[in-house]
Amino acid sequence: MSVSDTRPVWFITGCSTGFGREFALQCLERGLRVVATARRLSNLDGLDAPSERLLKIELDVTDPSAITDAIARTREAFGRIDVLVNNAGYGYLTSAEEGEEAEIRAMFDANVFGLFAMTRAVLPLMRAQRSGTVVNISSIAGLVARAASSYYGASKYAVEGFTSGLHAEVAHLGIRAMAVEPGPFRTDWAGRSLRTTEVGIEDYRQSVGARLSGTAEISGRQQGDPVRAVTAIIEAASSDNPPLHLVLGAYAVDATRERWMQSIKELDTWEAVGRATDFPD
């Protein structure tokens, strides 16, 4: 480890494909130091740079001992972590009624509890540094959950709540937290990475079934460009004042604005009822 090397260190989970892979590539192109992780080391083939700039680690974020080892190896190699990108995770779509317990729990282990564990492991370094940024890759489903996304959306709503709470706890320590809410992007999310339980109940074919069919049809043709998305995230995370929420893609921006406007309208409609529940003065 060179103590004189001041290039920021980015620790990125889920670098096999999609956003994670693009994060590693762009960070290396920018001259940053990168810790690239994946569940299988062979999935990191093709990521090449001198050892003083790239550390490749086999990491399953649902394995606490593997997280501890990865952080220890990073400290030994680079001495610090400036940006943690919690990218590892995947989607599971089905109806709420037909959700399979094992599938739901496995997804939450990766999307939620793995993200929590990674953040807990990195925070001591960032506190000691009095600096750092935690970037949590959420989803538009964490702001606007649609049919078939009840469980996936719930996992991302958990990420949203965690990020907001984390921001309130660590901002005074020089640590920033940012949640990223991408809409449909041209990655493997809707393809081979997506897990589903098909609709078996006729009553859900119009809502959940239609969403599953639409998701399959759009796979590989989504409007969002992963390269531009990752560039935007890196620039936002590297700025002096990163946003708490970074909504990416025209679909996600429009859907978020529409939902927030609906929420304001609903709040206004029911405001008197809500205020009347306090003890009288």
Side-chain angles (χ1 to χ4, degrees):
M1 179 183 69
S2 173
V3 294
S4 62
D5 194 337
T6 60
R7 290 173 294 184
V9 177
W10 283 57
F11 189 111
I12 308 158
T13 67
C15 293
S16 297
T17 60
F19 282 164
R21 186 78 169 196
E22 187 61 32
F23 267 117
L25 290 170
Q26 289 199 31
C27 286
L28 290 171
E29 289 172 359
R30 290 167 181 253
L32 304 172
R33 292 183 287 174
V34 174
V35 183
T37 75
R39 293 184 66 182
R40 288 182 290 276
L41 204 58
S42 61
N43 289 340
L44 300 175
D45 290 349
L47 290 177
D48 298 304
S51 59
E52 64 268 19
R53 291 194 49 228
L54 174 63
L55 176 62
K56 297 193 283 190
I57 299 178
E58 186 170 283
L59 173 63
D60 180 347
V61 298
T62 68
D63 182 346
S65 63
I67 292 175
T68 300
D69 178 68
I71 299 303
R73 290 179 59 187
T74 300
R75 292 186 68 173
E76 181 179 358
F78 297 144
R80 61 186 297 116
I81 295 174
D82 295 285
V83 181
L84 167 65
V85 181
N86 280 314
N87 170 72
Y90 63 93
Y92 171 55
L93 300 183
T94 187
S95 68
E97 187 172 342
E98 295 169 294
E100 299 177 40
E101 188 74 11
E103 292 280 12
I104 298 164
R105 289 184 179 274
M107 181 184 63
F108 267 77
D109 281 341
N111 292 8
V112 179
F113 297 113
L115 181 149
F116 290 174
M118 279 301 314
T119 305
R120 288 197 303 272
V122 168
L123 282 175
L125 279 74
M126 291 185 173
R127 279 196 301 106
Q129 296 164 186
R130 281 302 194 263
S131 67
T133 302
V134 177
V135 178
N136 292 328
I137 305 300
S138 178
S139 167
I140 182 58
L143 299 175
V144 184
R146 307 234 185 245
S149 296
S150 50
Y151 294 112
Y152 177 65
S155 76
K156 294 304 185 178
Y157 268 76
V159 171
E160 295 289 334
F162 178 74
T163 306
S164 294
L166 177 65
H167 170 76
E169 294 174 5
V170 301
H172 70 290
L173 301 175
I175 303 170
R176 296 94 62 89
M178 180 172 77
V180 181
E181 296 91 5
F185 275 79
R186 208 167 294 179
T187 68
D188 285 337
W189 185 91
R192 64 179 181 175
S193 297
L194 181 65
R195 302 182 67 87
T196 63
T197 295
E198 293 301 321
V199 175
I201 299 174
E202 185 63 33
D203 286 342
Y204 296 124
R205 294 199 185 279
Q206 183 177 348
S207 56
V208 177
R211 171 75 191 290
L212 292 178
S213 297
T215 300
E217 290 171 3
I218 201 176
S219 180
R221 299 186 294 109
Q222 296 96 327
Q223 185 177 359
D225 179 353
V227 175
R228 294 185 180 190
V230 169
T231 299
I233 297 167
I234 292 174
E235 292 179 354
S238 303
S239 69
D240 292 335
N241 187 28
L244 180 57
H245 299 281
L246 183 63
V247 182
L248 297 179
Y251 170 86
V253 170
D254 291 343
T256 300
R257 178 173 285 111
E258 179 183 358
R259 176 53 55 87
W260 285 348
M261 290 176 67
Q262 289 175 349
S263 295
I264 292 296
K265 182 178 179 180
E266 186 175 74
L267 181 64
D268 289 343
T269 300
W270 291 91
E271 179 178 5
V273 173
R275 290 187 180 278
T277 58
D278 288 347
F279 283 107
D281 294 334

